[in-house]
Amino acid sequence: MSGRECIAMLLAGGQGSRLGCLTRNIAKPAVSFGGKYRIIDFSLSNCVNSNIDTVGVLTQYKPFLLNSYIGIGSAWDLDNSQGGVHILPPFVGEQGGRWYKGTANAIYQNIDFISYYNPKYVLIISGDHIYKMNYTQMLRYHQEKKAEVTISVLPVPQEEASRFGIITTDEDSRITKFTEKPVHPDSNLASMGIYLFNWPVLKKALIKDEVDSESDNDFGKNIIPMLLQEHKKLYSYSFEGYWKDVGTIESYYDANMDLLSAQPEFDLFDTTTRVFSNSDILPPQYIGEKARVKNSLISNGCTILGEVINSILAPGVYVGEGAIVHNSLLLPNSTVSCESWVRKAIIGEHSVIGAYCSIGIKIGTNPRQAGITVIEDNTLIEEDTLVEEGKNVYRGSVA
Amino acid sequence: MSKFIGVIACNYRTDLLQSMITSRPIAALPFGGRYRLLDFPLSGMVNSGLRTVGIITPYRYRPILDHLGAGKEWYLDRKVGGLFILPGSRQGKYSRNNKFALRDFVKNIEFLERDRADYVIISGCSNIFNLNYNEVMAKFGDKNSDLIMIYKELCLEEKEDCQGVVLQVDENQMVVKLESSLGREKQIVKFFADTFIVKRKLLLDILKNYEGIEEMDLLDILEENIEMFRIAAYPLSGYFGRITSIRSYYLRSMDMLNHSVRNELFMKTNRIHTKIKDNPPTKYGTQCSIRNSLISSGCTIQGNVRDSIVFRGVRIEAGASVTKSIIMQKCVIGEEAVLENVIIDKYGQVNTGAVINGQDHSPVVINKYMVL
């Protein structure tokens, strides 16, 4: 196989347990976002828009929906005869098989896959970030600096810095220190979890890390500090623009709501870098005679007969007559029946809120998860049910 | 392999669509917010399991190719079968209601010869309905009919835009006569839906027998030889819309605002497929007001929309008011503009404060790329 310049390895195996009932049945990258998208669309579209035509998607946790959504990658023009998208689940060999232990171990187990394409560079990205980025510019930077590893960084507010992997650099942007979630951060440059490696350097590091039984086999915790110790040339690449890690219910909700601001920083309507997705065949949305729609994003196949304000509706959503939906995210094919009231809630895929329900009733002053109520997918909320704000309603549990 | 192959005849015009079809064939006429007329017959075929479909193209067929591409959205990018472009013959500017011109079939006879399917489904491209042909075959497949003609029982209007073919059917649901719809206004008739199923071998025989006389239409041949064939008639039970004029285009478009029509055509298992554009969801502003309208993806709506159909990627600015209108793809309606009973073709631009009023049921048509 002739060598490729750069291939991407997309980490999509994490459970995303902090998203609670949103990821109980599906992997985090497959969670619906921004109406018609799923979270992985952004990373995959970035690859395509950066002319990276070979992408390995590492899956592990509940991959069914994710696998069927990606398919052969045709929605992103990744159905190439050479390269294209490859779904890489854990597998067995002569020595038996193992689950992916950490991010580095997942790549380690797929060394053969990367070697098959024999690229000069390997881009490691994750499938759970919302951003638009041209990886080509990062690659040019990497080449200019003659770096062995380049990590994409962006400044975060100092008080939030201890949530991230924090990078300290010299005046030439060469990385001098990397600390995962430091208690006392000495910089506010956070790693975005986007790593560009020279393939031989990565391969060697992965093999070395694998034999270390103390290691968690994680890029941030183990591989990067190890390479720093070896005085490899690690550089930081400053990213400018919108980037959100949607790891928690609050950040997931906020990132969605960011799309509704008058001039959103993350602009889905920008045609220069389009976001592709695998969409269902649905007719245009219908807004009824008595409906009221304000400041919302609404997708194909929706039927709106009630009131929708400050909300994002995914494809195939139904809002019945007299229903009121405020500040909420209605995920694909969910239903809010007539005269129901939904406030600051996330309604899971295919879930049905019966008539005359109230979802997100105010209680006291300090509700959980910023008062966001979440209903799991495929859940039926019976007529006349009241659900308090900040509650997570799992399927089968009594609301 | 499917028992059927399909042919969609797109090589005809109707003058009453005026400027809407100067730059595009009728098959490519945008409809219902995100579709083109061709999507309806094509989706009916692929939903019935067909994976070999030929499109007889008219003279200006760029919009058709643009829309279809390799046929991916209709699952027609196949190794076995797939989408075939069958170049139609050049006709005069005004064809005589001649939808299934013999010469178009004769020129493309290889398409029919090469496949081994038992039946060919032949359809026009200007009627809106959603039919699964397996239902037709379940009813007639064992009756040993040579042909099955699909019709819709309907009451002709007082003033018909265009003539069509009316079937005379006997008590066994067999066609005994083909007639013109002329002179039958206000009567209930069995109106031929421009769609029929014919045994492939029989079609080939007909084409070979008539090879020299290519000015004829397939329907003329059926009419002449009606006793020779066993022609069954299949009634359409669902929605049926004919697009023959600006007026009927407007009225049939507005039918899509009806919940049961929309549900039947678009929301059941047999969906209408169309080209996917990867637009973002539609964004509604803080000051907009929308009533009884069909809005497609990728729009930005700040103004007021009532009883209208809005295609993909349209921008309606603050204070603008759109009523009983059809706004096609990528149009921009400026602030405070007022539109009522208007059809704006693609990429149209209505400047701030402009006022355009059509009459009830007789809309004003603004041509493609026009700036007002």
Side-chain angles (χ1 to χ4, degrees), chain B residues 329-360:
Chain B
Q329 196 181 313
K330 299 259 167 99
C331 286
V332 179
I333 313 299
E335 285 177 26
E336 306 293 333
V338 179
L339 307 179
E340 187 161 348
N341 294 309
V342 182
I343 298 174
I344 307 189
D345 209 321
K346 287 163 83 173
Y347 303 98
Q349 213 177 313
V350 177
N351 288 335
T352 301
V355 177
I356 309 168
N357 275 312
Q359 285 170 339
D360 234 8

Side-chain angles (χ1 to χ4, degrees), chain B residues 173-353:
Chain B
Q173 277 294 105
M174 301 305 278
V175 179
V176 292
K177 205 169 175 205
L178 304 181
E179 294 175 321
S180 163
S181 65
L182 270 184
R184 292 177 167 267
E185 288 77 11
K186 286 164 78 177
Q187 291 178 19
I188 292 176
V189 297
K190 294 182 166 55
F191 197 92
F192 176 49
D194 291 339
T195 303
F196 57 103
I197 302 173
V198 53
K199 285 188 172 155
R200 190 178 59 91
K201 293 249 162 65
L202 174 69
L203 178 62
L204 286 170
D205 287 345
I206 294 175
L207 295 179
K208 279 171 188 154
N209 285 336
Y210 281 83
E211 217 174 333
I213 327 165
E214 290 176 7
E215 289 306 307
M216 285 183 91
D217 188 280
L218 269 177
L219 291 185
D220 296 338
I221 295 168
L222 295 187
E223 204 179 318
E224 268 184 27
N225 303 292
I226 196 112
E227 297 85 20
M228 282 173 57
F229 305 124
R230 288 178 53 81
I231 307 179
Y234 181 89
L236 272 176
S237 53
Y239 178 82
F240 177 71
R242 289 179 286 151
I243 311 292
T244 53
S245 62
I246 300 236
R247 183 169 168 277
S248 60
Y249 172 81
Y250 178 77
L251 292 174
R252 298 297 78 80
S253 294
M254 292 306 169
D255 285 350
M256 301 303 127
L257 294 176
N258 180 315
H259 171 73
S260 61
V261 171
R262 219 169 45 244
N263 199 41
E264 182 196 326
L265 287 179
F266 305 124
M267 305 295 260
K268 296 209 172 149
T269 38
N270 295 317
R271 302 257 170 103
I272 303 298
H273 306 250
T274 192
K275 183 177 178 179
I276 289 172
K277 295 247 166 91
D278 280 284
N279 279 318
T282 281
K283 180 142 193 199
Y284 294 90
T286 45
Q287 300 303 317
C288 69
S289 155
I290 323 288
R291 295 268 189 279
N292 188 38
S293 296
L294 208 53
I295 317 264
S296 306
S297 58
C299 296
T300 310
I301 299 188
Q302 306 283 356
N304 308 308
V305 183
R306 221 191 155 95
D307 307 321
S308 295
I309 297 191
V310 179
F311 282 68
R312 294 187 266 202
V314 167
R315 198 166 87 227
I316 297 176
E317 292 177 354
S321 157
V322 174
T323 312
K324 294 185 188 164
S325 295
I326 298 171
I327 315 292
M328 288 195 200
Q329 196 181 313
K330 299 259 167 99
C331 286
V332 179
I333 313 299
E335 285 177 26
E336 306 293 333
V338 179
L339 307 179
E340 187 161 348
N341 294 309
V342 182
I343 298 174
I344 307 189
D345 209 321
K346 287 163 83 173
Y347 303 98
Q349 213 177 313
V350 177
N351 288 335
T352 301

Side-chain angles (χ1 to χ4, degrees), chain A residues 9 13 18 59 65 75-76 86 90 137 165 169 176 186 217 276 283 307 329 333-334 337 376:
Chain A
M9 297 297 276
R18 286 173 304 157
T59 64
L65 179 70
W76 302 268
H86 298 257
Q137 285 168 8
T169 64
T176 54
D186 51 7
N217 307 117
F276 300 97
E307 179 175 298
L329 309 175
N333 301 307
S334 57
S337 306
E376 198 193 342

Side-chain angles (χ1 to χ4, degrees), chain B residues 71-256:
Chain B
K72 186 165 152 181
E73 279 91 349
W74 298 266
Y75 318 125
L76 289 174
D77 50 343
R78 301 282 108 191
K79 278 187 178 172
V80 178
L83 180 70
F84 290 81
I85 301 299
L86 311 176
S89 49
R90 173 117 197 235
Q91 298 194 336
K93 198 176 176 200
Y94 305 105
S95 78
R96 331 151 278 130
N97 211 10
N98 193 335
K99 287 178 179 156
F100 307 105
L102 199 59
R103 57 181 169 185
D104 287 348
F105 287 85
V106 171
K107 274 179 82 175
N108 294 296
I109 199 161
E110 281 182 65
F111 170 73
L112 299 166
E113 281 171 341
R114 281 203 190 148
D115 207 278
R116 279 183 233 136
D118 298 330
Y119 295 94
V120 184
I121 301 175
I122 300 176
S123 173
C125 62
S126 46
N127 293 322
I128 312 286
F129 60 90
N130 193 349
L131 174 66
N132 191 313
Y133 293 99
N134 294 316
E135 286 166 26
V136 182
M137 292 317 278
K139 196 165 172 200
F140 283 111
D142 54 350
K143 272 202 174 177
N144 201 27
S145 13
D146 299 316
L147 284 107
I148 305 166
M149 299 182 84
I150 317 289
Y151 72 88
K152 176 72 184 177
E153 194 155 85
L154 51 82
C155 184
L156 289 172
E157 288 180 46
E158 197 174 342
K159 273 191 181 161
E160 278 288 326
D161 299 325
C162 219
Q163 57 167 315
V165 173
V166 168
L167 308 183
Q168 292 290 340
V169 172
D170 69 10
E171 63 280 4
N172 297 321
Q173 277 294 105
M174 301 305 278
V175 179
V176 292
K177 205 169 175 205
L178 304 181
E179 294 175 321
S180 163
S181 65
L182 270 184
R184 292 177 167 267
E185 288 77 11
K186 286 164 78 177
Q187 291 178 19
I188 292 176
V189 297
K190 294 182 166 55
F191 197 92
F192 176 49
D194 291 339
T195 303
F196 57 103
I197 302 173
V198 53
K199 285 188 172 155
R200 190 178 59 91
K201 293 249 162 65
L202 174 69
L203 178 62
L204 286 170
D205 287 345
I206 294 175
L207 295 179
K208 279 171 188 154
N209 285 336
Y210 281 83
E211 217 174 333
I213 327 165
E214 290 176 7
E215 289 306 307
M216 285 183 91
D217 188 280
L218 269 177
L219 291 185
D220 296 338
I221 295 168
L222 295 187
E223 204 179 318
E224 268 184 27
N225 303 292
I226 196 112
E227 297 85 20
M228 282 173 57
F229 305 124
R230 288 178 53 81
I231 307 179
Y234 181 89
L236 272 176
S237 53
Y239 178 82
F240 177 71
R242 289 179 286 151
I243 311 292
T244 53
S245 62
I246 300 236
R247 183 169 168 277
S248 60
Y249 172 81
Y250 178 77
L251 292 174
R252 298 297 78 80
S253 294
M254 292 306 169
D255 285 350
M256 301 303 127

Side-chain angles (χ1 to χ4, degrees), chain A residues 7-235:
Chain A
I7 73 169
M9 297 297 276
L10 201 162
L11 299 162
Q15 179 185 355
S17 53
R18 286 173 304 157
L19 280 175
C21 40
L22 291 177
T23 52
R24 202 157 80 117
N25 305 298
I26 58 177
K28 183 156 109 176
V31 172
S32 163
F33 186 90
K36 69 172 285 192
Y37 305 99
R38 296 193 184 271
I39 294 172
I40 198 170
D41 284 336
F42 301 96
S43 305
L44 280 178
S45 299
N46 283 338
C47 287
V48 177
N49 288 329
S50 309
N51 293 324
I52 294 176
D53 64 0
T54 307
V55 183
V57 179
L58 297 126
T59 64
Q60 173 157 284
Y61 174 80
K62 297 206 172 169
F64 173 67
L65 179 70
L66 185 62
N67 290 355
S68 67
Y69 184 72
I70 295 171
I72 56 165
S74 44
W76 302 268
D77 282 345
L78 283 170
D79 50 342
N80 292 342
S81 56
Q82 303 191 340
V85 67
H86 298 257
I87 293 182
L88 303 171
F91 56 91
V92 288
E94 304 87 357
Q95 317 284 305
R98 287 184 311 168
W99 296 109
Y100 294 153
K101 274 190 293 174
T103 49
N105 176 256
I107 306 291
Y108 170 81
Q109 291 199 42
N110 287 287
I111 282 179
D112 286 350
F113 168 79
I114 304 175
S115 298
Y116 174 77
Y117 285 106
N118 191 25
K120 281 197 195 123
Y121 309 101
V122 178
L123 180 72
I124 312 280
I125 52 182
S126 64
D128 48 10
H129 296 153
I130 308 297
Y131 66 114
K132 282 183 178 179
M133 177 169 175
N134 190 336
Y135 303 129
T136 319
Q137 285 168 8
M138 184 173 173
L139 180 61
R140 296 288 161 263
Y141 175 87
H142 180 84
Q143 290 164 334
E144 272 167 32
K145 291 281 180 194
K146 298 194 170 53
E148 288 166 300
V149 185
T150 300
I151 303 176
S152 186
V153 298
L154 92 169
V156 292
Q158 196 75 42
E159 62 272 18
E160 282 180 38
S162 49
R163 282 176 45 212
F164 296 91
I166 293 298
I167 280 169
T168 318
T169 64
D170 65 13
E171 59 279 7
D172 187 38
S173 296
R174 186 161 173 173
I175 299 172
T176 54
K177 195 171 154 201
F178 182 100
T179 347
E180 192 67 59
K181 300 192 176 75
V183 188
H184 302 291
D186 51 7
S187 150
N188 70 339
L189 286 181
S191 160
M192 294 159 64
I194 301 166
Y195 310 102
L196 184 62
F197 285 91
N198 289 351
W199 170 226
V201 175
L202 174 63
K203 190 174 175 180
K204 226 171 122 191
L206 289 174
I207 292 168
K208 188 171 169 196
D209 176 67
E210 187 60 23
V211 292
D212 177 4
S213 57
E214 300 285 290
S215 173
D216 288 327
N217 307 117
D218 185 88
F219 275 99
K221 269 189 233 158
N222 310 106
I223 300 280
I224 301 301
M226 180 177 94
L227 291 172
L228 278 173
Q229 245 176 22
E230 291 173 8
H231 303 290
K232 293 275 193 254
K233 284 191 273 177
L234 283 77
Y235 280 85

Side-chain angles (χ1 to χ4, degrees), chain A residues 305-309 318-326 328 330 335-343 345 347 351-361 375 380-387:
Chain A
L305 306 176
E307 179 175 298
V308 175
I309 296 181
Y318 179 90
V319 176
E321 252 179 74
I324 295 179
V325 175
H326 285 192
S328 294
L330 307 191
T335 297
V336 177
S337 306
C338 64
E339 305 295 338
S340 268
W341 180 88
V342 175
R343 185 194 148 273
I347 311 294
S351 285
V352 177
I353 309 295
Y356 307 100
C357 288
S358 298
I359 310 295
I361 302 178
I375 313 284
L380 171 69
I381 305 286
E382 306 273 356
E383 252 178 57
D384 273 324
T385 309
L386 310 180
V387 178

